[in-house]
Amino acid sequence: MADATTDLVLKVGSITSLGMSSINADDPDTATTARPGSLRILVDAYGYRILQYVKNVSDSAYAMGELVTKVANTAVTNITAGGVRQATTTGLTANDHDGRLCFVADNDDSAGAAPEGETSVVKNNSATIIDMEFDMPFSVALAANDDLTLISNWQSTDSADGNLAVNVLGVVLGAQGIADNQFGWVQKEGYCPGVDALSGAITAGDPVVADVAQVGAFGSDGQELWVGVALGAMSADQTADTLPVNLRLFTAASPGTAP
């Protein structure tokens, strides 16, 4: 029984739960384990962790330990037709934009007028059609030559050197990795024991930054690029290019450079 004079916690319960079979999931496009973008908070022998359920749209498979980031936003210029829930264009990859935010960047026939500045959510897309969520239509129909921006949230690809921390999603946890166009869990926050790391010297206690599907030494990179803190030292002759890292991506540093 809790005591109001001595305890700061009452009626303890878990916010979320997730078992190993789910963590190891490599789910089909129907996202069977969780709602896309979902977060889970858990604790294990390594301490607390924050996970996110993301989709691989990189055109290649991920392995366990890889670092992944949001795909770049997509500019859709000069659509050919539209409505309050749909836009017609060309050159898209089917299903790669599902779940993205659709921001109307420009109303061609009436500058500044609605729906310019409005945002909906992409329900699904083909190579030429972008359908919005039915319950979130634009206030005015899109029309030919309007410009859109498709903003990423949980759609992922391999990380790269120079990625801002606010765009990095986390480290792939599943033992089978995540196949292209499938869903799986990445770790955003807390201790992670087997993060892929760039071969070379990394000092324990130093920040680490994104590199090609892995972390690397921060060198002179500013805090806007730091994705976590190295928990151990890595030498240039280390056989296994992995490193324990305290990931700090749930509330990553601002993209602004340090004053």
Side-chain angles (χ1 to χ4, degrees), residues 51-227:
L51 280 53
Q52 188 169 24
Y53 193 58
V54 305
K55 184 179 182 181
N56 176 357
V57 294
S58 70
D59 297 326
S60 62
Y62 300 147
M64 182 173 65
E66 284 189 32
L67 186 69
V68 302
T69 189
K70 297 174 188 175
V71 295
N73 294 339
T74 301
V76 181
T77 57
N78 295 327
I79 66 172
T80 55
V84 294
R85 296 183 179 87
Q86 192 177 82
T88 303
T89 184
T90 59
L92 299 180
T93 300
N95 303 316
D96 272 7
H97 306 285
D98 297 359
R100 290 204 204 186
L101 309 185
C102 181
F103 172 68
V104 184
D106 179 63
N107 179 347
D108 181 71
D109 59 11
S110 183
E116 188 170 319
E118 296 182 15
T119 303
S120 186
V121 178
V122 177
K123 180 177 177 61
N124 50 57
N125 77 279
S126 68
T128 58
I129 300 294
I130 305 168
D131 287 315
M132 312 304 163
E133 289 286 352
F134 185 83
D135 292 331
M136 191 169 284
F138 296 115
S139 65
V140 177
L142 298 168
N145 298 316
D146 288 351
D147 296 337
L148 311 175
T149 303
L150 304 182
I151 300 170
S152 300
N153 43 31
W154 39 261
Q155 302 81 14
S156 69
T157 190
D158 281 321
S159 64
D161 185 20
N163 283 155
L164 291 169
V166 292
N167 291 327
V168 179
L169 287 167
V171 173
V172 175
L173 290 183
Q176 305 305 313
I178 307 173
D180 184 38
N181 286 318
Q182 304 256 101
F183 286 85
W185 294 94
V186 299
Q187 182 174 338
K188 304 180 74 69
E189 191 86 4
Y191 285 16
C192 189
V195 180
D196 287 354
L198 182 66
S199 180
I202 297 177
T203 302
D206 276 0
V208 290
V209 298
D211 208 283
V212 181
Q214 60 192 342
V215 300
F218 82 107
S220 59
D221 289 333
Q223 64 181 12
E224 69 277 7
L225 302 184
W226 300 351
V227 301

